[in-house]
Amino acid sequence: MFEISKAVTFEAAHFMGGKPEGHPYRNLHGHSFRLEASVKGQVKPGEEWVEDFSKLTAALQDVAQQLDHTLLNEIDGLSVPTLERICLWVSNALKPTLPGLTRVTLSRPSLNESCTLDLSART
């Protein structure tokens, strides 16, 4: 069994409206995000790979384009845009195109923060 991964980047803004007055996350602010997706599977006979990286790249770029230079709070399903919720939103967007999707990792490299949704652990 192999697992392949691809990453893309995007820029977006958000705020956490439920935080108390004076909390820094309550203010509108932006981040540079790194989005990585992994697909697991056997090497396909005749193709000699798990998945064509161009398919994985196109799927990730499509999702990143929907998020890039947006206010994440305004995207349906991301009214509270935590890393966890964005990972779940991304996985739902990628599953139809990438049935072997096993992992979505979203990070904010400048803050050394990341969140990984392990889809292989879901039942």
Side-chain angles (χ1 to χ4, degrees):
M1 187 70 62
F2 292 92
E3 185 174 64
I4 63 169
S5 300
K6 176 68 180 179
V8 297
T9 59
F10 66 93
E11 311 290 324
H14 70 150
F15 63 89
M16 298 298 169
K19 297 295 180 189
E21 283 292 328
H23 194 289
Y25 298 168
R26 185 180 171 113
N27 299 326
L28 179 65
H29 60 283
H31 297 284
S32 295
F33 291 91
R34 181 178 186 274
L35 174 61
E36 181 176 325
S38 301
V39 174
K40 188 181 260 186
Q42 298 291 337
V43 171
K44 295 175 183 175
E47 295 184 35
E48 303 310 320
W49 56 35
V50 172
E51 188 60 74
D52 185 338
F53 269 108
S54 65
K55 181 179 178 183
L56 185 52
T57 301
L60 271 173
Q61 287 176 336
D62 179 58
V63 169
Q65 186 176 28
Q66 294 175 56
L67 302 173
D68 190 42
H69 285 83
T70 65
L71 177 56
L72 296 173
N73 302 71
E74 294 178 347
I75 294 175
D76 190 33
L78 293 178
S79 60
V80 181
T82 61
L83 289 178
E84 294 86 349
R85 288 189 182 211
I86 300 168
C87 277
L88 188 57
W89 186 93
V90 167
S91 73
N92 289 332
L94 290 174
K95 280 185 222 175
T97 306
L98 302 171
L101 185 68
T102 56
R103 185 181 334 273
V104 172
T105 299
L106 184 67
S107 61
R108 295 184 288 227
S110 66
L111 298 174
N112 296 312
E113 297 173 343
S114 68
C115 176
T116 298
L117 175 60
D118 182 354
L119 297 163
S120 65
R122 297 178 80 182
T123 55

